[in-house]
Amino acid sequence: MSQSPENTTNSNPFTKPGFIIAAALVVALIAAAVVIFLLPKEQGNAQPAPTQTRSASANPSTSTTSDESVCGLPASEDTALGTAPKSKWELVGTMAVPTDPSSAGPGTVGKDGLRSCFAQSPTGALYATANIWAASFNGYATQVYLELSADSPTRDKAVQAIREGKDLGGGTTPKVQIAGFIIHSYTPKAAVVELAIKSSDGGYGAFSTSLLWEDGDWKLDIPAAGGNAVRQISDLSSFIPWAGV
């Protein structure tokens, strides 16, 4: 089955409700990069000291190549998912997310409700993607940057913007639910997961997310502004159906 974006000659796909909803979803996670570009040049281009680019919960001396789950979840030798995992679902805000604390994750839920620690497996990467996005859409965008993002220059700039008081978690959250997925690639060190999202008006959108295995957990590989591949889709024919509601 084709996985290429849906193209029509009858209307502009960028104006369809499904695409508009999907495009709105990535705002939460690219907001930091946008904020950075709006900062005065001497701030946006400055390279902060290493001790200023990590969150209080992160340890700069921790190895970024550790294979062991930070919360002891089992790893898997699987490299793909041909069918949807049988999942228990819970709500994060208004969005249903999968949960399996003893196998796929999240193995840790913070006092503030932020979910982390997912298994080093295709299912763990899928669960991580769903939970990271749900957190971002429901008021945890700042925490996602600080705690659930992989080391990169873009993350460093985002953290500096946060420390300078920029709000990365505002805005109105679209009413959307996960509808399906594709795991485009998977290794124990990196994964690319595409989620299909259905809006409350029946429109569909899809976006790819890159993950890196770092410090014993899957972390978001933050794209540069505009870096996420967002597309409008007309149906789920290219995806494995997977939904909690």
Side-chain angles (χ1 to χ4, degrees):
M1 290 179 289
S2 172
Q3 296 180 3
S4 61
E6 299 289 342
N7 294 317
T8 68
T9 57
N10 295 329
S11 61
N12 183 348
F14 294 96
T15 65
K16 290 184 177 181
F19 186 90
I20 293 171
I21 291 294
L25 299 182
V26 298
V27 171
L29 286 181
I30 66 172
V34 174
V35 168
I36 292 160
F37 296 150
L38 294 177
L39 291 174
K41 290 185 177 180
E42 62 272 14
Q43 296 181 40
N45 294 332
Q47 292 297 322
T51 57
Q52 295 177 340
T53 62
R54 303 290 297 191
S55 67
S57 62
N59 184 353
S61 64
T62 301
S63 171
T64 60
T65 61
S66 173
D67 284 332
E68 185 177 352
S69 165
V70 71
C71 65
L73 291 181
S76 169
E77 295 183 358
D78 294 339
T79 58
L81 278 177
T83 60
K86 294 182 179 180
S87 305
K88 177 183 178 181
W89 297 78
E90 296 178 348
L91 288 178
V92 172
T94 60
M95 190 171 179
V97 295
T99 178
D100 185 355
S102 64
S103 180
T108 301
V109 179
K111 292 182 179 180
D112 60 358
L114 187 68
R115 298 168 175 230
S116 63
C117 188
F118 295 89
Q120 193 176 23
S121 67
T123 301
L126 175 61
Y127 277 36
T129 301
N131 278 268
I132 284 172
W133 281 99
S136 300
F137 303 157
N138 288 277
Y140 293 97
T142 295
Q143 290 95 320
V144 167
Y145 275 105
L146 291 174
E147 302 178 40
L148 304 182
S149 299
D151 285 333
S152 70
T154 305
R155 178 191 181 276
D156 289 347
K157 291 180 180 180
V159 172
Q160 182 176 350
I162 290 169
R163 293 185 181 280
E164 292 172 355
K166 308 299 180 181
D167 182 9
L168 307 183
T172 301
T173 302
K175 293 184 181 299
V176 297
Q177 298 294 341
I178 297 169
F181 73 92
I182 306 170
I183 296 183
H184 288 290
S185 64
Y186 176 85
T187 72
K189 297 296 186 182
V192 177
V193 179
E194 187 171 19
L195 292 180
I197 299 293
K198 184 177 182 179
S199 68
S200 58
D201 67 359
Y204 288 103
F207 52 92
S208 293
T209 301
S210 295
L211 301 173
L212 297 176
W213 184 258
E214 183 178 285
D215 297 341
D217 197 4
W218 289 112
K219 300 295 180 68
L220 176 69
D221 187 14
I222 303 174
N228 261 18
V230 184
R231 61 189 179 108
Q232 185 267 341
I233 57 175
S234 61
D235 55 43
L236 298 176
S237 60
S238 296
F239 290 82
I240 297 174
W242 185 57
V245 295

